[in-house]
C-alpha cells in the first residue's frame, strides 16, 4: 500500500485508500449497466461502474487509479500520494481530454511525479483505468513488412488495468464549489462534494467499491486500508425532553422510557439533568431530560 500525506486538513479532512489486485477489466453485468442507465449514468467498464454504483448506493464519490501507472511514475521508489494545492500555472489533463491550467486554490491529489487528479471533481487521464479490449474496435491493423504474415487488430491492443487503487475522501465543500465553477467542470463527484459529504462516508464508500470490484472483476482485495483522518468533525449533541415527545408523538413517556427506546436504536443516552454520552461520528448525540 502507498504512503499518504494530507498537507491541509481544512481542505481535506479525510482520505482513504484501498487496493485490489489482479482484476479483469470488462463490461459490467447487464443488470448493473441497466441500473446505471436508469440513473442517468453511462456504463464504462466494471471497475469504473463499481465506483459509480457505490456512489449511488452510499453517497460517496470514489475514484479509481491504475496502480501500475503510479508504480511506473514512482520510478522504483515507494508510491507516495499526497493532497496539496496547485502551484501557479500547474497543468493537468483530465479524463475528458482537456488540459487544464490550475490556480493556487485548486486542491490536487498528487504523487511524487506531479498531479493525478483534481480533488473531488475529476481524475487525470494518465492514471485512468483502461479496458484495452475496447481499443480493438478503433485500431488499425499494423502494416505488413516484407516476409511477415498479416496481423490483425488484436496485435495493436494495449494493456488493460490489472491493479486498482481506490480513493474515497472528504473535501471542503466551498473549495470544491469554487474550483468546479472556475474550471467550468461539473461532474457527478463535484455535484455531491460541493453540497457536503460527511467524512465517515469515505471508508464506507471504499469498502463498498472494493466489494463490487471483487464481485464483478474477480480481483483480490489487499487487507487493510490507508486511512488518514486528521480533522474529524465534532459530533453534535441533541437534547430531547418529555415535552418534545408529547408534542411530536402525542403520548406521555418518562425520561427513562425515552432513554431506553433511544438505546434500543443504538443512540447511547441516559435520563439526567446534564446528560452525556459518546457516539460514532455519523450519529448525533441524543440525551433525554425531564
Amino acid at each position: 500500500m502507498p504512503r499518504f500525506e494530507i498537507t491541509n486538513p481544512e481542505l481535506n479532512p479525510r482520505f482513504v485508500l484501498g487496493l485490489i489486485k489482479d482484476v479483469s477489466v470488462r463490461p459490467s453485468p447487464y443488470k448493473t449497466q441497466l441500473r446505471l442507465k436508469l440513473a442517468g449514468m453511462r456504463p464504462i467498464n466494471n471497475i469504473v461502474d463499481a465506483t459509480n454504483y457505490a456512489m449511488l448506493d452510499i453517497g460517496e464519490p470514489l475514484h479509481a487509479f491504475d496502480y501500475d501507472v503510479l508504480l511506473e511514475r514512482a520510478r522504483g521508489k515507494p508510491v507516495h500520494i499526497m493532497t496539496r494545492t496547485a502551484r501557479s500555472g500547474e497543468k493537468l489533463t483530465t479524463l475528458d481530454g482537456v488540459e487544464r491550467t490550475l490556480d493556487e486554490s485548486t486542491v490536487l491529489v498528487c504523487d511524487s511525479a506531479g498531479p493525478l487528479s483534481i480533488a473531488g471533481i475529476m481524475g487525470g487521464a494518465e492514471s485512468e483505468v483502461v479496458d484495452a479490449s475496447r481499443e480493438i474496435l478503433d485500431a488499425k491493423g499494423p502494416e505488413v513488412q516484407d516476409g511477415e504474415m498479416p496481423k490483425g487488430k488484436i496485435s495493436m491492443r494495449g494493456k488493460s488495468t490489472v491493479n486498482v487503487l481506490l480513493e474515497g475522501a472528504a473535501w471542503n465543500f466551498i473549495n470544491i464549489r469554487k474550483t468546479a465553477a472556475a474550471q467550468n467542470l461539473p461532474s457527478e463527484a463535484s455535484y455531491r462534494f460541493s453540497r457536503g459529504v460527511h467524512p465517515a462516508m469515505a471508508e464506507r464508500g471504499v469498502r463498498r467499491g472494493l466489494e463490487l470490484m471483487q464481485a464483478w472483476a474477480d480481483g483480490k482485495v489487499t487487507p487493510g486500508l490507508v486511512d488518514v483522518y486528521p480533522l474529524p468533525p465534532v459530533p453534535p449533541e441533541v437534547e430531547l425532553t418529555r415535552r418534545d415527545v408529547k408534542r411530536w408523538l402525542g403520548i406521555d413517556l418518562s425520561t427513562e422510557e425515552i432513554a431506553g427506546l433511544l438505546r434500543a436504536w443504538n443512540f447511547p443516552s441516559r435520563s439526567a439533568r446534564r446528560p452525556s454520552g459518546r457516539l460514532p461520528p455519523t450519529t448525533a448525540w441524543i440525551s433525554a431530560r425531564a
Side-chain angles (χ1 to χ4, degrees):
M1 293 288 281
R3 294 187 298 117
F4 186 80
E5 176 185 358
I6 293 175
T7 59
N8 191 336
E10 293 288 341
L11 298 176
N12 176 205
R14 190 177 193 182
F15 201 99
V16 180
L17 289 169
L19 181 62
I20 182 168
K21 296 183 175 181
D22 301 325
V23 299
S24 176
V25 183
R26 55 180 181 260
S28 298
Y30 172 75
K31 288 185 178 180
T32 300
Q33 296 187 45
L34 178 60
R35 288 184 175 183
L36 289 173
K37 289 178 180 178
L38 291 173
M41 306 192 75
R42 179 169 61 94
I44 306 295
N45 58 56
N46 51 357
I47 299 299
V48 176
D49 291 352
T51 66
N52 289 330
Y53 199 96
M55 178 186 68
L56 296 173
D57 183 17
I58 302 295
E60 167 71 20
L62 304 171
H63 183 66
F65 298 97
D66 187 321
Y67 188 57
D68 292 310
V69 171
L70 303 186
L71 291 173
E72 290 177 9
R73 287 166 59 99
R75 298 181 181 275
K77 297 180 181 179
V79 175
H80 180 201
I81 297 177
M82 69 185 76
T83 57
R84 61 169 174 82
T85 53
R87 303 182 181 97
S88 180
E90 201 164 14
K91 297 181 183 295
L92 173 68
T93 301
T94 46
L95 289 171
D96 56 0
V98 178
E99 184 182 62
R100 301 182 182 276
T101 302
L102 311 170
D103 58 43
E104 295 178 353
S105 66
T106 302
V107 181
L108 299 174
V109 179
C110 307
D111 63 2
S112 55
L116 293 170
S117 67
I118 301 178
I121 298 177
M122 186 172 288
E126 183 178 354
S127 57
E128 72 174 318
V129 172
V130 175
D131 179 4
S133 65
R134 298 175 66 93
E135 299 173 4
I136 300 173
L137 299 176
D138 300 322
K140 295 181 179 179
E143 296 182 2
V144 180
Q145 304 296 327
D146 292 340
E148 289 186 350
M149 294 291 292
K151 299 177 181 179
K153 290 184 179 181
I154 192 66
S155 62
M156 299 298 291
R157 178 177 174 177
K159 183 180 178 182
S160 292
T161 296
V162 177
N163 303 309
V164 175
L165 187 68
L166 184 61
E167 165 208 320
W171 309 103
N172 181 293
F173 73 96
I174 295 176
N175 179 271
I176 296 297
R177 188 179 302 171
K178 289 181 177 179
T179 300
Q183 292 291 337
N184 191 24
L185 187 57
S187 67
E188 293 285 347
S190 66
Y191 179 86
R192 288 162 174 80
F193 281 129
S194 66
R195 287 158 175 78
V197 178
H198 197 285
M201 304 309 294
E203 179 186 355
R204 297 182 186 182
V206 169
R207 292 190 184 279
R208 179 58 171 157
L210 292 174
E211 178 186 17
L212 295 174
M213 290 179 187
Q214 187 175 37
W216 298 343
D218 305 323
K220 300 175 182 176
V221 177
T222 300
L225 301 174
V226 175
D227 188 354
V228 182
Y229 200 177
L231 194 62
V234 178
E237 179 178 357
V238 178
E239 292 188 355
L240 180 64
T241 67
R242 294 180 60 191
R243 182 180 298 176
D244 293 330
V245 174
K246 173 69 173 179
R247 178 161 53 91
W248 294 330
L249 301 182
I251 58 176
D252 283 313
L253 294 175
S254 68
T255 52
E256 290 75 14
E257 289 175 319
I258 295 171
L261 290 170
L262 292 172
R263 282 193 293 267
W265 287 94
N266 292 324
F267 289 98
S269 59
R270 64 179 181 179
S271 57
R273 293 290 178 181
R274 282 292 178 184
S276 63
R278 192 161 190 83
L279 291 179
T282 52
T283 309
W285 289 27
I286 293 184
S287 57
R289 66 176 184 176

